[in-house]
Amino acid sequence: MLFLYNTLTKQKEEFVSLNPGKVGMYSCGPTVYGYVHIGNVRTYLLSDLTRRYLEYLGYEVRLIKNITDVGHLTEDDVAQGDSGEDKIEKAAAREKKTPEEIARFYESYFKQVEKELNILPAQYFPRATAHVPQMIKIIEALVEKGFAYEKNGNVFFDVTKFEDYGKLSGNTLENLKVGARLEEHPDKKNPWDFALWLKAPAEHLMQWRSPWSTGYPGWHIECSAMSTEYLGSTLDIHTGGEDNIFPHHEAEIAQTECFTGKQFVRFWLHTRHLLADGKKMSKSKGNLYTLEDIKEKGFSAMDLRLFFLSSHYRSQMEFSWPALEQAHKNLQKINDFVLNLEALTASENSSLETFDVAIYREKFEAALDDDLNTPLALSNLYELISQVNSEITSDKLSSQSAKVILTLWKKINSVLGFTLLGQAEIPEEIKRLIEQREIARSGKDFKKSDDLRALIEKKGFILEDTKDGMKIKAVGRL
Ligand code: AMP
Ligand code: ZN
């Protein structure tokens, strides 16, 4: 039985989907105005892990991940969606590109990062700019029902009309009143009302016609429009980072439940932040690392994947190079384990000892069933590896057992999601370095050739010059 911690109820609850066998899941995707950093990756990995484990359990999962290419303002984390500049327009001005060019560029970068991390692609990545009519439809209904109001071409959600406001974050109106005061937009009735539609100043590049003004949608409304468009009124699971809980997800609940009259999300899952130097890794704090930074230091995307899975998604996690180094070593251990098993299956070792794999499968499932406890699942896997290694050393593991263990490994890995050795293509960069080394060798520049070999090794590939020519082997890559 799968138990997931639900931010809404603040406890672990048994997960049962609304429709038998099928799960509707939505993940807040990137705002495409800059390079995705590895903090973001931690959050995308949570939805990948959840989806993979649900599929392991036999569910058919429909995962929708939006692309925010309009409407997310620079002050959205501290204000209510009505102040600051549009993040994408600001990047467009900085990079002297159109907002569309900016959005497409960073969207494709994000997809490349997900691919390298072996994050399975969502079934659909809807873009906010392609769903403005759906947003307008919801806003119109909210105005008509009296949950939202218009003034001077701007439309706001009236938080006092939704009595459950604050149920996700604990930021009820009572609590908010004693908290910090917000800078008030002149057209708002209450400081905590949030923007659904804003009238665009003439210089604003992205504008759409609406019944209220030529303008643009607020950030929160896009997720309500796109999630319900593709998943219906009630979602089984909605994921995001902990910073999304308030105001973003609180606002999503308010506007969607007032629109549909139904429960919006059954299970809310949030990742705790990835920290760097003790602070949340973020674009604004400038303490971020991208996948490129990780690779430049000789680590692979799979090392990073293992680094993340080594910590529970609801624990804060501090980024550090020694921790990544440890992940790299553990990945090598797993790599060797799989290679050894493969070699054994090809041999004809017919030891009579049988290996009890069932216990390891049960342990794996028990760990994942307990709110996706990947650190526990990994420590069980390392236990399995130790047992296998010692049986191989004493020549007790039969080819048949090796086959059975490999089958279990494949099943486990359908959830952990490491790219298997052999399946991993040699990256272009490595191919280029190998070519350069060949040129250096044929020109008898052995110093350069050795330096290049060392560099290739640092990037995780070993070159072996054999009598049959050069062979290349990935180190620590699964
Ligand atoms: P953004 O592009 O800023 O909207 O962020 C995309 C996703 O990454 C959101 O779900 C955020 O909550 C999440 N996120 C941002 N920073 C971090 C971090 N340091 N650790 C974990 N998740 C993060
Ligand atoms: Zn969202």
Side-chain angles (χ1 to χ4, degrees):
M1 266 188 314
L2 170 60
F3 280 79
L4 295 173
Y5 181 88
N6 189 348
T7 313
L8 186 65
T9 56
K10 292 165 193 58
Q11 58 188 6
K12 286 182 199 170
E13 286 177 57
E14 188 189 341
F15 177 80
V16 181
S17 61
L18 193 59
N19 299 310
K22 294 195 170 160
V23 176
M25 202 175 144
Y26 184 86
S27 296
C28 285
T31 308
V32 279
Y33 71 108
Y35 293 107
V36 163
H37 59 76
I38 61 168
N40 304 134
V41 169
R42 185 176 196 211
T43 290
Y44 304 138
L45 253 183
L46 167 67
S47 70
D48 189 51
L49 174 70
T50 313
R51 178 250 186 101
R52 282 174 178 270
Y53 191 54
L54 288 165
E55 287 180 350
Y56 173 103
L57 294 176
Y59 285 105
E60 191 186 307
V61 182
R62 184 169 168 77
L63 172 65
I64 305 295
K65 195 177 283 182
N66 68 300
I67 302 290
T68 299
D69 56 357
V70 69
H72 191 169
L73 307 183
T74 50
E75 302 302 310
D76 277 350
D77 299 339
V78 285
Q80 288 295 75
D82 53 33
S83 58
E85 294 169 78
D86 185 294
K87 289 184 172 184
I88 292 171
E89 293 212 354
K90 194 175 165 195
R94 186 185 63 228
E95 296 187 27
K96 300 195 174 40
K97 290 186 179 148
T98 64
E100 195 182 10
E101 282 166 342
I102 289 288
R104 297 299 167 266
F105 176 80
Y106 289 112
E107 177 184 325
S108 71
Y109 175 77
F110 151 73
K111 287 189 176 153
Q112 178 60 27
V113 169
E114 283 216 326
K115 192 168 166 212
E116 288 190 39
L117 261 296
N118 204 21
I119 293 176
L120 298 174
Q123 272 78 4
Y124 193 45
F125 291 95
R127 292 176 180 148
T129 46
H131 295 80
V132 177
Q134 287 88 332
M135 299 180 215
I136 291 177
K137 197 177 111 202
I138 299 177
I139 303 170
E140 274 184 314
L142 291 173
V143 173
E144 204 185 319
K145 291 180 179 183
F147 292 111
Y149 57 92
E150 183 266 344
K151 196 165 176 206
N152 295 326
N154 298 309
V155 185
F156 296 96
F157 185 90
D158 184 343
V159 289
T160 63
K161 296 277 165 63
F162 182 56
E163 60 180 35
D164 279 347
Y165 189 74
K167 70 177 168 181
L168 182 71
S169 61
N171 289 329
T172 56
L173 289 180
E174 281 309 299
N175 292 344
L176 287 169
K177 268 180 207 144
V178 292
R181 274 188 69 76
L182 287 171
E183 200 182 307
E184 289 185 39
H185 189 289
D187 295 336
K188 282 205 292 202
K189 286 189 192 161
N190 318 293
W192 292 102
D193 290 351
F194 58 85
L196 295 168
W197 187 265
L198 290 169
K199 183 177 173 179
E203 68 278 11
H204 208 270
L205 298 172
M206 290 186 282
Q207 315 197 354
W208 288 262
R209 268 198 223 141
S210 80
W212 314 286
S213 62
T214 299
Y216 59 97
W219 169 39
H220 314 308
I221 192 69
E222 69 169 76
C223 283
S224 293
M226 291 187 271
S227 56
T228 53
E229 170 88 1
Y230 297 101
L231 297 167
S233 308
T234 301
L235 326 180
D236 284 304
I237 299 175
H238 192 316
T239 66
E242 63 175 317
D243 57 328
N244 287 156
I245 297 174
F246 188 84
H248 188 47
H249 291 161
E250 198 68 70
E252 279 187 40
I253 294 177
Q255 63 206 6
T256 319
E257 298 197 349
C258 290
F259 172 60
T260 63
K262 295 185 187 140
Q263 181 179 22
F264 173 42
V265 172
R266 300 175 57 245
F267 282 79
W268 284 97
L269 269 56
H270 292 101
T271 349
R272 297 294 307 271
H273 283 145
L274 178 68
L275 311 179
D277 308 321
K279 286 187 284 252
K280 177 194 169 196
M281 189 176 285
S282 74
K283 282 172 199 148
S284 56
K285 292 198 183 69
N287 60 344
L288 56 84
Y289 296 96
T290 61
L291 182 56
E292 275 59 45
D293 298 323
I294 301 298
K295 291 197 287 190
E296 252 167 46
K297 293 263 186 179
F299 294 103
S300 68
M302 286 302 112
D303 293 334
L304 187 63
R305 189 172 175 109
L306 181 53
F307 164 74
F308 283 130
L309 294 178
S310 310
S311 155
H312 188 249
Y313 75 92
R314 274 193 304 113
S315 311
Q316 264 187 355
M317 192 177 193
E318 175 82 35
F319 176 75
S320 78
W321 293 109
L324 197 57
E325 182 63 45
Q326 186 55 50
H328 176 74
K329 286 194 184 127
N330 286 337
L331 196 64
Q332 272 180 311
K333 187 157 82 178
I334 301 174
N335 190 23
D336 289 344
F337 159 73
V338 179
L339 289 177
N340 288 341
L341 287 174
E342 278 172 354
L344 243 182
T345 55
S347 75
E348 294 199 348
N349 191 331
S350 52
S351 159
L352 289 177
E353 302 240 354
T354 51
F355 194 100
D356 185 9
V357 287
I359 180 97
Y360 287 104
R361 190 179 49 244
E362 281 160 23
K363 280 187 180 186
F364 175 75
E365 291 175 5
L368 269 291
D369 277 346
D370 184 12
D371 194 28
L372 308 169
N373 192 339
T374 50
L376 181 58
L378 284 171
S379 76
N380 293 335
L381 174 64
Y382 301 144
E383 224 178 85
L384 167 67
I385 293 175
S386 302
Q387 194 186 336
V388 165
N389 287 348
S390 81
E391 297 210 5
I392 290 179
T393 313
S394 52
D395 208 19
K396 280 199 208 140
L397 201 72
S398 68
S399 316
Q400 188 49 36
S401 293
K403 269 188 204 140
V404 177
I405 300 167
L406 260 184
T407 306
L408 172 69
W409 157 252
K410 283 183 187 150
K411 193 95 176 85
I412 288 177
N413 195 38
S414 71
V415 180
L416 300 178
F418 297 117
T419 313
L420 281 168
L421 181 71
Q423 291 167 2
E425 274 283 296
I426 298 170
E428 281 305 316
E429 185 200 2
I430 302 294
K431 284 186 196 154
R432 269 196 306 276
L433 290 172
I434 293 173
E435 269 167 33
Q436 287 171 21
R437 180 175 172 267
E438 286 303 305
I439 294 168
R441 257 160 59 94
S442 51
K444 305 225 180 306
D445 185 348
F446 297 116
K447 160 94 180 59
K448 187 168 180 193
S449 152
D450 285 349
D451 288 350
L452 283 164
R453 173 204 285 272
L455 180 62
I456 293 167
E457 252 179 50
K458 207 170 155 231
K459 291 182 181 288
F461 291 85
I462 288 182
L463 299 183
E464 282 171 17
D465 296 305
T466 70
K467 60 177 176 16
D468 305 321
M470 194 205 65
K471 286 200 174 132
I472 180 155
K473 199 173 127 187
V475 186
R477 274 177 179 68
L478 287 172

